[in-house]
Amino acid sequence: MPDKRAGDELAKPSKPTVRPECPNFGSGPCKKRPGWSVDALAGAPLGRSHRSALGKGKLEQAINETKELLRVPDGYEVPYHIVAPYQVGIVPASDTGAVEMAMWALLGPRAVDVCHWESFGSEWYTDAINQLKLDNVRNFGVSDYGECPRLSETDPKHDIIFTFNGTTSGVRVPNLDWISDDREGLTICDATSAIFAMDMSPWSKLDVVTYSWQKVLGGEGAHGVLILGPRAIERLESYVPDRPLPKIFRLTKGSPPKLARDIFRGATINTPSMMCVEDYLDALAWARGLGGLDALIEKSNANFNVMAEFVSKHDWINFLAKDPATRSNTSVCLTLSLDAAQVKQLTTLLEKEEVAFDIGAYRTAPAGLRIWCGATIEASDVQALTKWLEWAYNVVKQS
């Protein structure tokens, strides 16, 4: 890496002349795919029932194309039998709804280890303790943003909840090696700002995966995706929680309980927005045209590398994530040698210039920046933004 320029804040560069083509660097909802327009929604069955053949067909198409793009296993052989395939369903209330569905329907028969290192992951711990009131919950949290807990200390006999990528801290899990292949408990992975941008293999490590459409693919909010592996399905069909489950949390039917498979075939629990479904189908088509999952990951990495190169050259900006192996390539969180008021001045200045919107750190994180570098962002726009960051920093520092 090149040496940082000590004292480079003393330079007085003129205002950059090249602007990002799109200034939308917020971490959710995220930038739409390149070339997007409302024409992409022309095929939406607006005014039609989501339970009609047309509406349900669109929902089922979204499920099938998701499975194909993510390479979700159709099933795999283990000694003496074939394990059932993973199930993909569209559920209410974005990623939050999907995580809550999994927690309320699955947790209880085993102790739970909750791994969290930023605001949203911490909510899952709070819910396990205060809402579900589970008896045996271990807290794998961290004291400071930018750190990752010791994941290897989790117990494979316990259920484990973790966030693959901490959207508000810019800290991700480096890999899934810490998850035992012989575990007895389930793994529940909140993957909303990781999926489509990071290598999350192998699927056999993940029993439940959740995400929303509004992150890496640039879809719209309000809808979540819940992916259940065979071990999670087995839990659902063998364990009945001793608590009431609201309708939108119910994943089984009958007695004894059986998976409500219609949810995973396009029959949603509540009414979805068919306009949002059409937008998601458009995003999936764009991703396939780009080259699929590997191309999405490559593009996100390329965007991150532009930012990493910039950080390496300047001593006034650093990654919030302390360990390079845990640095997010999507929600890139940065600290500056400015106080909170000055950081606000910098982000306001960039918004006024219309070169970067919504890049301030999350409200509970240390003062700094959070710049989205997912696959809908262009590397050329990240490059242009870095020039404006340097300019704005010097303006603020010298004011």
Side-chain angles (χ1 to χ4, degrees), residues 25-27 145 166-171 307 310-311 316-321 330-340 342-351 356-363 365-373 385-386 388-390 392-393 396:
F25 292 98
S27 294
Y145 269 75
T167 311
T168 65
S169 69
V171 174
M307 188 58 64
F310 176 73
V311 171
W316 50 266
I317 185 169
N318 285 288
F319 289 103
L320 182 58
T330 56
S331 55
V332 180
C333 294
L334 304 160
T335 60
L336 309 175
S337 59
L338 299 173
D339 61 32
Q342 289 174 313
V343 171
K344 180 63 176 177
Q345 185 181 350
L346 180 146
T347 58
T348 300
L349 183 60
L350 293 174
E351 285 208 14
F357 296 136
D358 310 321
I359 65 168
Y362 191 70
R363 62 179 179 268
L369 304 178
R370 181 172 57 151
I371 298 171
W372 186 255
C373 288
L385 174 61
T386 62
W388 286 91
L389 288 175
E390 184 170 11
Y393 173 81
V396 170

Side-chain angles (χ1 to χ4, degrees), residues 23-78:
N24 297 342
F25 292 98
S27 294
C30 299
K31 177 184 176 291
K32 306 299 287 183
R33 58 125 174 125
W36 185 91
S37 76
V38 293
D39 294 339
L41 308 178
L46 304 183
R48 292 294 308 277
S49 171
H50 62 294
R51 303 197 188 283
S52 67
L54 176 61
K56 187 178 178 183
K58 290 277 188 178
L59 289 159
E60 197 164 11
Q61 179 186 351
I63 289 171
N64 291 337
E65 292 184 3
T66 295
K67 293 171 70 173
E68 179 183 356
L69 183 60
L70 289 175
R71 302 195 283 262
V72 177
D74 285 331
Y76 51 90
E77 293 186 10
V78 295

Side-chain angles (χ1 to χ4, degrees), residues 60 63-64 66-67 70 72-75 83-91 203 206-211 225-234 236-237 251 259-266:
E60 197 164 11
I63 289 171
N64 291 337
T66 295
K67 293 171 70 173
L70 289 175
V72 177
D74 285 331
V83 175
Y86 282 64
Q87 301 291 326
V88 177
I90 297 169
V91 299
W203 275 97
L206 303 171
D207 299 309
V208 179
V209 175
T210 69
Y211 71 93
V225 173
L226 176 67
I227 304 176
L228 298 178
R231 300 177 74 254
I233 295 170
E234 182 181 16
L236 285 170
E237 295 184 339
L251 293 169
L259 181 69
R261 293 186 180 273
D262 50 348
I263 296 173
F264 304 90
R265 295 169 181 163

Side-chain angles (χ1 to χ4, degrees), residues 87 100-107 109 159 186 188 207-208 226-241 243 245 249-261 263-264:
Q87 301 291 326
E100 294 286 6
M101 288 179 78
M103 291 180 64
W104 282 75
L106 292 167
L107 297 183
D159 293 333
L186 300 178
I188 299 176
D207 299 309
V208 179
L226 176 67
I227 304 176
L228 298 178
R231 300 177 74 254
I233 295 170
E234 182 181 16
R235 170 76 63 84
L236 285 170
E237 295 184 339
S238 62
Y239 165 68
V240 178
R243 52 185 169 265
L245 290 182
F249 288 174
R250 296 174 201 158
L251 293 169
T252 61
K253 293 180 178 180
S255 181
K258 293 294 181 182
L259 181 69
R261 293 186 180 273
I263 296 173
F264 304 90

Side-chain angles (χ1 to χ4, degrees), residues 105-120:
L106 292 167
L107 297 183
R110 289 183 176 272
V112 181
D113 292 347
V114 183
C115 306
H116 60 96
W117 49 93
E118 48 89 55
S119 58
F120 291 106

